[in-house]
């Protein structure tokens, strides 16, 4: 089973993804979205940049999540695009 889109998954305590950024290995911003629901990959990154599939490799993400109690938390790491 393939994961076609990348997003944040969380429990019922995660209210929104306030910001989500994907960067290539040179630090170029290749994806950005704001104020989207968690757990719904249709709002996440689809592995493309400028309407073309990115090359296979490692990409860096930064996600800022808001919880139902008002707290915010940053998540950072990497995601690998496979072709």
């Amino acid at each position: 089973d393939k994961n076609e889109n990348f997003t944040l998954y969380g429990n019922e305590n995660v209210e929104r993804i306030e910001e989500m950024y994907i960067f290539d290995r040179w630090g170029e911003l290749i994806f950005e979205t704001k104020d989207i629901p968690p757990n719904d990959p249709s709002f996440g990154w689809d592995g493309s940049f400028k309407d073309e599939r990115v090359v296979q490799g490692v990409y860096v993400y930064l996600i800022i999540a808001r919880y139902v109690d008002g707290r915010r938390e940053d998540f950072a790491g990497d995601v690998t695009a496979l072709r």
Side-chain angles (χ1 to χ4, degrees):
D1 196 24
K2 296 192 296 188
N3 292 324
E4 296 292 330
N5 289 13
F6 174 77
T7 194
L8 175 73
Y9 289 88
N11 62 24
E12 65 279 353
N13 293 321
V14 178
E15 182 178 340
R16 300 295 288 171
I17 298 171
E18 288 190 346
E19 301 172 45
M20 180 175 169
Y21 305 98
I22 306 288
F23 301 90
D24 66 15
R25 64 181 175 171
W26 298 280
E28 181 179 6
L29 179 65
I30 62 168
F31 176 80
E32 173 182 9
T33 191
K34 296 183 179 187
D35 197 31
I36 63 171
N39 306 319
D40 188 342
S42 66
F43 288 94
W45 181 49
D46 67 359
S48 67
F49 177 56
K50 295 183 180 178
D51 296 322
E52 293 189 21
R53 299 302 254 166
V54 297
V55 297
Q56 182 169 301
V58 177
Y59 295 82
V60 174
Y61 66 84
L62 171 62
I63 298 173
I64 302 169
R66 182 177 67 230
Y67 293 92
V68 293
D69 65 5
R71 288 182 306 119
R72 290 177 48 169
E73 187 171 2
D74 297 354
F75 297 91
D78 57 70
V79 58
T80 302
L82 301 174
R83 299 285 167 240

